[in-house]
Amino acid sequence: MSTTEELVDFDVALEKYDPVLGFEVHVELNTKTKMFSDAPNAFGDVPNTNVTPVDLGLPGVLPVVNKTAVEYSILIGLALNCKIAESCRFARKNYFYPDTPKNFQTSQYDEPIAYDGYIDIELEDGEVFRVEIERAHMEEDAGKLTHMGGSTGRIQGAEFSLVDYNRAGVPLVEIVTKPIVGAGKRAPELARAYVGAIREIVKNLNVSDAKMERGNVRCDANVSLMLKGADKFGTRSETKNVNSLRAVEHAVHFEIERHAAVLESGQKVVQETRHWHEDTRTTTSGRPKSDADDYRYFPEPDLVPVVTTPEWIEELRARLPEPPAERRKRLKAEWGYSDAEFRDVVNAGMTDLISDTIAAGATPAVARKWWMGVVSGLAKTQDVDAADLGVTPATIVELQGLIDSKKINDKIARQVLDFVLAGEGTPAAVVEKRNLAVVNDDSALGAAIDEAMAQMPDVVAKIQSGKVQAIGALIGPVMKATRGQADAARVREIVLEKLGM
Ligand code: ADP
Ligand code: MG
């Protein structure tokens, strides 16, 4: 059960070995009802309330396939550039576990609904890496066990376990990649980007809530190492349920270092499942698993095959939204951002907010200035996600409007934003209430300017001798007298007027 004590440093490992990756990602579909019953598919309800005899596998029940779940599965297949089976069957995967009261999981085996696809994964620096998809098949989720009384929440050390069958029978699509070769040092980054891309795609299709923290998207990460230049893959480990993007990246990184240590010590990697531990960022041994694990799969006798017609598939294809990667390419061109600017926007998760702000009337440059500059800065100082600050595109457009009409300057606008976020109202209301409008009415400015000129006769003399840039020295005191609200350009004009220049 122990982890390998000594790891081989990641960079050292990759001088000698090439990593091979493979991902099995489970996506929970957000249909109204379950895969084979009319029980509600809902998260967070009172345990064991969304359960029918079908979900419990009681004698004599008959399952019925959820048509919407099939359509969602086909949409996922199409979005992953897969072929869609003309006909496919469900199969029984037989095993006993208390979270699966039927004693088998209804899944698909040799006839997945979608197969042979690919997605192009864009890494953070813009490099594109193609990941081939082996299959995407339909199945049902298991119930949820909660192990009580232990310190870890795992079954070991627990006193008793609770079972909630609300999740039993929730529709899943399992997406399995072909072995991914050639990622080298970028393997952990690719792992993260791949799972992120799947999450983005299913969210964009609106077929899943796609919340990893709720388990809507769950990843098993397979890793093996082979000597550089070898043509046969090494033995893989399968780290189960790594349920955040960060964890997927760390798990692959860790497994590469661990595999290298095992191989360097002359031992063999054991083909097994591994548990991921977020606290230590390590994995520990789970159960041995051979490729021939005998689940005694056989075709599900209670369900007819799912037959897809070309018309149905084309109808679904027409429903596909613009793919996220293509949308990004289009937006980058429309907005005229540089590669680096656009990448920063994407990595900051600001694409939608900026898009909405432009749609609300801002120019691309202004939208970028606010979100990437001002709002990101605020988020950093408050240590929250920029999207969670509560800044809306409408607020940004209104603030910029006040700047453009010279009601306020840039600096005041940032203060106004603070007051808006503190709940004081719209930008215009804040400016009004707090009397923040730029002072450019000449009488108010004139008095402050007279005062400053009286106190700095030397500066005045300099200006009169032709050194017009000396006016800068007067602007500070005038700003001070007007609480930063003077219009600097207008101050300059008035000074020159007063001096008859
Ligand atoms: P299982 O259910 O037994 O885990 P799957 O076929 O569902 O098998 O998934 C295995 C995953 O591991 C696939 O993504 C596959 O491409 C990948 N894989 C297969 N062999 C290797 C290997 N030697 N190293 C890394 N990944 C592998
Ligand atoms: Mg599998």
Side-chain angles (χ1 to χ4, degrees):
M1 288 297 288
S2 71
T3 57
T4 306
E5 275 75 29
E6 302 277 323
L7 299 173
V8 171
D9 175 75
F10 184 77
D11 290 325
V12 175
L14 292 189
E15 273 162 28
K16 185 162 172 189
Y17 298 100
D18 277 332
V20 177
L21 308 176
F23 300 102
E24 300 158 72
V25 174
H26 287 89
V27 177
E28 268 184 357
L29 304 181
N30 59 2
T31 50
K32 286 200 188 70
T33 57
K34 292 188 181 178
M35 189 74 223
F36 304 111
S37 83
D38 60 0
N41 168 17
F43 180 88
D45 284 357
V46 175
N48 298 309
T49 52
N50 298 330
V51 177
T52 69
V54 170
D55 311 310
L56 294 176
L58 297 186
V61 296
L62 282 174
V64 177
V65 177
N66 180 333
K67 184 178 177 190
T68 305
V70 175
E71 293 194 328
Y72 285 6
S73 306
I74 294 173
L75 285 170
I76 290 174
L78 292 173
L80 299 176
N81 304 293
C82 286
K83 296 177 183 134
I84 306 299
E86 287 170 27
S87 169
C88 64
R89 280 188 301 184
F90 286 94
R92 289 189 181 184
K93 181 182 183 182
N94 296 281
Y95 65 96
F96 168 78
Y97 207 65
D99 60 10
T100 303
K102 300 192 298 185
N103 288 342
F104 59 87
Q105 180 192 29
T106 309
S107 181
Q108 294 194 296
Y109 184 51
D110 48 354
E111 301 183 27
I113 185 144
Y115 55 97
D116 278 354
Y118 66 88
I119 43 170
D120 288 328
I121 305 297
E122 207 176 315
L123 299 177
E124 285 206 357
D125 68 353
E127 189 188 329
V128 174
F129 201 103
R130 178 161 291 192
V131 171
E132 314 256 4
I133 305 294
E134 166 97 29
R135 56 196 273 142
H137 67 251
M138 299 183 280
E139 58 185 31
E140 59 180 339
D141 212 341
K144 189 173 163 46
L145 289 172
T146 308
H147 305 295
M148 309 296 289
S151 57
T152 59
R154 293 185 183 279
I155 193 166
Q156 293 86 353
E159 286 166 25
F160 61 95
S161 301
L162 300 172
V163 62
D164 174 9
Y165 290 123
N166 281 355
R167 203 179 63 184
V170 164
L172 291 180
V173 169
E174 178 176 343
I175 302 163
V176 183
T177 67
K178 294 189 177 154
I180 303 167
V181 188
K185 286 189 179 182
R186 311 201 73 172
E189 189 192 341
L190 176 65
R192 179 197 182 104
Y194 170 76
V195 179
I198 295 289
R199 184 183 66 172
E200 188 179 43
I201 285 170
V202 297
K203 191 167 177 215
N204 189 48
L205 289 170
N206 198 19
V207 297
S208 171
D209 293 345
K211 293 195 173 107
M212 291 190 81
E213 66 279 12
R214 284 194 178 181
N216 299 144
V217 176
R218 313 196 287 262
C219 174
D220 301 340
N222 294 267
V223 176
S224 68
L225 294 184
M226 59 180 177
L227 280 173
K228 276 199 172 191
D231 51 9
K232 198 166 166 287
F233 296 161
T235 304
R236 69 185 160 112
S237 61
E238 178 181 348
T239 306
K240 304 293 278 182
N241 291 323
V242 256
N243 290 338
S244 75
L245 297 184
R246 203 166 13 113
V248 173
E249 180 169 3
H250 290 150
V252 168
H253 191 277
F254 176 83
E255 280 297 287
I256 287 173
E257 295 189 327
R258 188 185 67 83
H259 278 234
V262 172
L263 296 172
E264 287 300 287
S265 71
Q267 292 168 273
K268 280 189 174 151
V269 171
V270 180
Q271 184 164 335
E272 62 182 356
T273 65
R274 310 268 316 172
H275 298 298
W276 171 244
H277 304 282
E278 188 62 50
D279 48 353
T280 51
R281 291 191 182 163
T282 57
T283 65
T284 52
S285 177
R287 64 183 162 93
K289 187 174 174 182
S290 70
D291 282 319
D293 258 352
D294 190 4
Y295 287 111
R296 207 165 54 85
Y297 276 102
F298 61 82
E300 165 62 61
D302 287 344
L303 290 167
V304 292
V306 172
V307 174
T308 61
T309 62
E311 297 75 40
W312 191 24
I313 291 171
E314 286 323 304
E315 197 183 296
L316 290 166
R317 196 189 300 279
R319 259 162 60 183
L320 289 175
E322 185 180 22
E326 273 175 38
R327 172 169 179 255
R328 281 196 291 272
K329 215 175 282 169
R330 172 175 64 78
L331 292 177
K332 177 170 176 289
E334 281 175 17
W335 297 348
Y337 293 177
S338 71
D339 288 352
E341 285 168 351
F342 193 76
R343 197 154 56 234
D344 287 347
V345 167
V346 171
N347 293 340
M350 294 281 194
T351 320
D352 287 339
L353 287 165
I354 290 183
S355 171
D356 291 348
T357 306
I358 293 169
T363 65
V366 160
R368 200 176 73 81
K369 172 190 84 175
W370 279 99
W371 288 107
M372 297 304 292
V374 183
V375 183
S376 290
L378 273 181
K380 209 171 273 166
T381 43
Q382 299 184 22
D383 200 22
V384 295
D385 275 354
D388 295 337
L389 272 174
V391 181
T392 65
T395 299
I396 300 295
V397 170
E398 192 180 332
L399 278 170
Q400 187 62 38
L402 292 168
I403 295 173
D404 292 344
S405 63
K406 298 214 162 24
K407 259 245 164 67
I408 56 175
N409 58 32
D410 248 75
K411 214 167 126 203
I412 300 282
R414 288 163 198 236
Q415 291 176 23
V416 173
L417 179 60
D418 287 338
F419 294 127
V420 171
L421 292 179
E424 294 194 15
T426 64
V430 167
V431 168
E432 177 76 35
K433 192 165 81 188
R434 291 195 163 255
N435 197 20
L436 290 173
V438 165
V439 179
N440 56 8
D441 83 88
D442 293 354
S443 62
L445 275 184
I449 290 169
D450 287 343
E451 170 91 27
M453 286 171 66
Q455 277 177 12
M456 298 185 179
D458 48 334
V459 172
V460 173
K462 257 193 207 162
I463 301 169
Q464 281 172 319
S465 75
K467 292 200 174 108
V468 179
Q469 69 273 27
I471 292 177
L474 295 172
I475 291 179
V478 173
M479 281 292 180
K480 207 164 170 195
T482 56
R483 294 180 14 251
Q485 289 163 248
D487 177 349
R490 186 66 195 132
V491 172
R492 187 179 296 271
E493 283 168 18
I494 295 175
V495 171
L496 292 177
E497 275 166 29
K498 283 187 188 284
L499 296 176
M501 295 173 72

